[in-house]
Amino acid sequence: MFCHRVRSMAWITGLILAVGAEAIAGQLRIATWNVTNYSSGRVSEFQTAIYGVYQSRSMAPDVLIGQEFTSASSVTNFLTILNTAPGSPGDWAAANFVDGPDTDSAFFYRTSKVDLLAVTVISNGGSSPNPPRNTMRYDVRLDGFTSPEATVAIYSSHMKSGDTSDDLARRLTEAQRIRDNAETLPAGWHFLVGGDFNIPGSNEAAYQELVGSQPNNNGRFFDPINTPGSWQNDCTNFRFVHSQDPACPPDYGGLDDRYDQILVSVSLINEQGFDYIGDATIPFSKTTWDDPNHSYRTWGNDGFRDNGTISCSDCLRVVGNTMVGQTIATALEASASLTGHLPVFADFTPPDKGACCLPCGCEGGLDQATCEARGGQFRGIDVLCGQEVPPCDEPPVPTDVIINEVLVTHNGVDDHEFVELFGQPNELLCGLTILVIEGEVASKGIVDAAVSLDDCGGWVPCALDAGGYFVAGGAGLPPEQRDLLIGSGTYVFEDGTQTFALVLNCLVDVGDDIDTNNDGLVDVDVGTVLDAVGIVDSGYPSTDAVYFSAPAFGPDGATVPAGMARCPNGVDTGTLNDWVRLSRALDGSDGCVPITPGATNPANCGGDYDGDGNYDLGDFAAFQQCFGAATLECSALELAGSCGIGLDDFAAFVPRLTGP
């Protein structure tokens, strides 16, 4: 059982420190790039720019929004570049190409990361007063998800360039159509726009149409790096976010415009669910490209220019580039084809998982597809267990379930170790965890194992069988004797002092310390302990500890016993008299009780030689014929743990003549 974790800015910053490297597993990196009138060629340049690595940093996007593709064949050529690049995962696909006026948008995506749902032309390009090119929308959903909250509508825009009144009007028209369309998206969807806006500053009407507040803000966009202003030719305040043009003057203008941007919906910057990795309330740094508050990057722009100055009349610094190094910087400059652009990208987290109704009640942290694959009912992204509507049915709390038999070691390779539970036949074990707590000297209190019984495979909860038994054990147990495989199959448990506990609604996990000062007392809440038993070696009680006031069984000389079983079967009086020692030979041939995983413990045990349920003179007489013997038959009289009948067993038996 796991708690819902609220995303913190410390967590965000920790992820951003790795920005530039391939997006961490589970994250989604979205890039936009005007590839400058692309038809074919520039293969090595693009491959190096996209998948080249410098100081562990690589662009390596998961989604690429492209502008200035000339034809369907140009998209095919670029797709080949993506899939054949050294370092590429080779799982790229392209959306259907839509041929419109002038050059066109293209959309590339990794099939292991997102599923493409639809391609839509939301605004046809043409002559004035229309935008010059088609404006596209690509609807995608995170792979493995089915909910609206995992869906994002991605707009691609290449607005009209120029500064005439007609140019500004055509950009405004395109912005209006994008915002109007975003207002119509289904509830729960996210949206963003990436592209070459050709806008010199945030005060322009087209930009304000996208980001400004209006009576209907359902389609409003936001700048995730919160960096407004007149960015054209301002290298004091915007030099780390300029994207056009990386080529060198005097023939070209130099890196002096923030034309290329990604703008996002408010749902992508609210620190809930599917979300931008960064703090959209903080403007991008004016002193470093490596801003720890943002995953947003203008790839290749380290803020300085070719001659070492920060003059806007200079081109992308290649030699000494601190973001991408010389090789990638050179490839970026060449792939921009002199008058082009640098790519811009941002990283996003997938939605926090939601609540799922399963046979064992509500489980948080599952996405809809996983929930339904387990036979559950999904209750929405970011919904916490306890807040789901309607509430999940809670299973009955397991009652009267006890630890009935434990084997920790035996002759040969230890692969038969197990814990057997006993209770009402066919009872679900929802909410139960088998804990194994270290009891040895300085390691006292460390949780060595935490076996949850909510899932026994195939998302079916663990349950007692028709006889009331359940066995979790190693690979050496035959499958018909084992309900749940635990550990690696061999040496599942240590051969030392430890406590076995059955806990309802467990609050600790492997590696946690329940005895922080090693005084032998529990210092933290572990949940509700239903049953516990300790098994000890000679270090107990001088240096070792047993927890939860459990009876301490052992030692066997200087070591732990092989294991212990309740005798009579299923009887719990809370004392050591409930337990008998198990055979290291497993079959009882050494004179101790044989193991019986998944079956009734031997009726003839604990001094009840004749198995009539009483400790009487008939059992007393049996000591005479078994004295000195170490056999399966005489193991019923084994009480002192020597696996052979002697005076110590007789002395332990005498008090039982009047009752167990």
Side-chain angles (χ1 to χ4, degrees):
M1 306 298 288
F2 299 95
C3 297
H4 176 85
R5 289 174 170 82
V6 177
R7 185 179 305 135
S8 67
M9 283 312 301
W11 178 84
I12 290 173
T13 301
L15 292 180
I16 291 174
L17 291 178
V19 75
E22 184 174 356
I24 296 171
Q27 293 181 24
L28 189 73
R29 176 164 293 176
I30 299 177
T32 184
W33 198 356
N34 181 332
V35 292
T36 314
N37 203 40
Y38 183 75
S39 59
S40 63
R42 292 181 259 165
V43 174
S44 63
E45 292 88 346
F46 278 121
Q47 290 185 334
T48 300
I50 295 170
Y51 279 109
V53 179
Y54 177 73
Q55 295 182 349
S56 79
R57 292 186 292 275
S58 179
M59 180 182 170
D62 302 306
V63 170
L64 179 58
I65 313 161
Q67 298 84 41
E68 288 203 25
F69 284 83
T70 61
S71 64
S73 63
S74 70
V75 173
T76 301
N77 293 335
F78 201 85
L79 180 62
T80 300
I81 287 175
L82 290 171
N83 277 321
T84 61
S88 168
D91 58 353
W92 285 93
N96 291 337
F97 176 76
V98 178
D99 192 10
D102 202 78
T103 58
D104 296 288
S105 291
F107 187 81
F108 306 90
Y109 61 100
R110 290 183 56 197
T111 56
S112 63
K113 290 299 190 89
V114 298
D115 301 320
L116 180 65
L117 306 180
V119 178
T120 307
V121 179
I122 67 142
S123 175
N124 287 302
S127 58
S128 182
N130 290 306
R133 289 163 281 269
N134 287 351
T135 306
M136 303 298 299
R137 192 185 91 196
Y138 305 94
D139 301 335
V140 298
R141 184 170 293 150
L142 294 175
D143 187 62
F145 290 75
T146 59
S147 64
E149 293 83 358
T151 308
V152 56
I154 299 177
Y155 297 89
S156 178
S157 171
H158 184 184
M159 293 186 178
K160 180 69 175 70
S161 63
D163 55 9
T164 69
S165 59
D166 185 65
D167 297 333
L168 272 63
R170 295 174 75 180
R171 288 200 289 267
L172 176 59
T173 296
E174 181 164 352
Q176 289 170 335
R177 292 176 182 175
I178 292 173
R179 181 153 180 169
D180 289 347
N181 185 267
E183 291 173 357
T184 68
L185 293 173
W189 281 31
H190 310 278
F191 54 89
L192 64 82
V193 57
D196 174 7
F197 297 158
N198 279 313
I199 294 175
S202 62
N203 288 330
E204 183 175 313
Y207 198 82
Q208 284 302 306
E209 174 66 23
L210 292 172
V211 304
S213 180
Q214 298 178 5
N216 183 351
N217 276 326
N218 291 337
R220 185 181 183 183
F221 291 83
F222 293 82
D223 180 5
I225 61 172
N226 192 21
T227 305
S230 297
W231 41 73
Q232 189 174 59
N233 292 318
D234 185 345
C235 276
T236 299
N237 296 302
F238 300 98
R239 70 177 187 268
F240 296 104
V241 294
H242 282 160
S243 62
Q244 196 270 340
D245 140 24
C248 285
D251 297 323
Y252 308 100
L255 199 56
D256 57 3
D257 278 299
R258 190 193 173 198
Y259 283 167
D260 305 273
Q261 297 189 32
I262 295 173
L263 303 177
V264 302
S265 60
V266 69
S267 62
L268 288 173
I269 53 172
N270 62 2
E271 296 187 26
Q272 296 179 19
F274 191 13
D275 211 54
Y276 167 66
I277 299 179
D279 189 340
T281 67
I282 301 176
F284 199 89
S285 173
K286 296 181 181 180
T287 60
T288 178
W289 63 264
D290 194 16
D291 188 336
N293 296 302
H294 292 284
S295 64
Y296 190 107
R297 294 289 184 266
T298 302
W299 185 236
N301 182 1
D302 68 351
F304 288 84
R305 302 298 184 254
D306 189 64
N307 64 5
T309 72
I310 58 171
S311 168
C312 280
S313 63
D314 292 311
C315 57
L316 176 74
R317 179 162 73 169
V318 174
V319 178
N321 189 297
T322 58
M323 181 193 287
V324 300
Q326 181 173 345
T327 300
I328 297 175
T330 300
L332 283 165
E333 187 178 58
S335 61
S337 191
L338 300 179
T339 59
H341 304 248
L342 294 176
V344 171
F345 67 73
D347 292 340
F348 299 81
T349 58
D352 292 339
K353 314 303 184 184
C356 180
C357 296
L358 291 166
C360 281
C362 185
E363 182 174 345
L366 297 182
D367 61 80
Q368 184 172 357
T370 302
C371 173
E372 293 175 350
R374 298 182 183 184
Q377 297 176 329
F378 193 65
R379 289 291 188 261
I381 293 291
D382 286 335
V383 175
L384 305 182
C385 288
Q387 300 175 357
E388 72 280 10
V389 178
C392 298
D393 294 332
E394 292 297 326
V397 175
T399 57
D400 301 323
V401 182
I402 59 173
I403 299 172
N404 201 49
E405 188 175 357
V406 177
L407 182 71
V408 299
T409 186
H410 55 81
N411 295 342
V413 176
D414 284 352
D415 60 1
H416 280 64
E417 307 107 297
F418 66 88
V419 177
E420 177 192 84
L421 305 182
F422 179 73
Q424 298 298 318
N426 302 314
E427 185 170 17
L428 290 179
L429 299 177
C430 294
L432 294 185
T433 299
I434 299 171
L435 284 185
V436 184
I437 312 296
E438 174 71 64
E440 295 280 321
V441 197
S443 297
K444 287 186 290 191
I446 300 298
V447 179
D448 280 345
V451 182
S452 172
L453 303 184
D454 281 343
D455 176 17
C456 261
W459 318 119
V460 176
C462 299
L464 301 177
D465 64 16
Y469 297 95
F470 174 85
V471 177
L477 286 177
E480 63 270 17
Q481 293 182 339
R482 185 186 68 230
D483 300 295
L484 180 65
L485 177 65
I486 59 174
S488 61
T490 59
Y491 301 99
V492 175
F493 307 127
E494 295 184 7
D495 296 350
T497 299
Q498 54 201 302
T499 303
F500 291 82
L502 184 62
V503 180
L504 177 65
N505 298 328
C506 183
L507 300 174
V508 295
D509 207 344
V510 174
D512 290 345
D513 188 355
I514 70 168
D515 182 4
T516 54
N517 57 4
N518 289 337
D519 63 357
L521 301 175
V522 177
D523 299 322
V524 301
D525 184 6
V526 303
T528 303
V529 179
L530 303 183
D531 192 21
V533 62
I535 188 167
V536 301
D537 60 22
S538 60
Y540 179 83
S542 59
T543 60
D544 297 352
V546 166
Y547 298 95
F548 313 119
S549 301
F553 190 83
D556 184 355
T559 63
V560 296
M564 56 276 197
R566 289 190 184 274
C567 183
N569 184 74
V571 172
D572 180 13
T573 68
T575 69
L576 278 174
N577 285 342
D578 297 338
W579 300 94
V580 294
R581 187 161 307 199
L582 291 178
S583 166
R584 288 183 185 272
L586 302 179
D587 61 2
S589 60
D590 58 0
C592 273
V593 173
I595 67 170
T596 58
T600 303
N601 296 342
N604 298 16
C605 58
D608 185 11
Y609 181 82
D610 55 17
D612 63 1
N614 298 310
Y615 305 113
D616 51 29
L617 292 178
D619 304 312
F620 184 86
F623 273 96
Q624 183 174 2
Q625 68 186 66
C626 282
F627 199 82
T631 64
L632 175 60
E633 179 184 13
C634 290
S635 67
L637 301 174
E638 209 306 298
L639 292 171
S642 57
C643 293
I645 308 306
L647 290 176
D648 50 355
D649 301 294
F650 180 75
F653 173 79
V654 170
R656 295 192 176 198
L657 278 171
T658 56

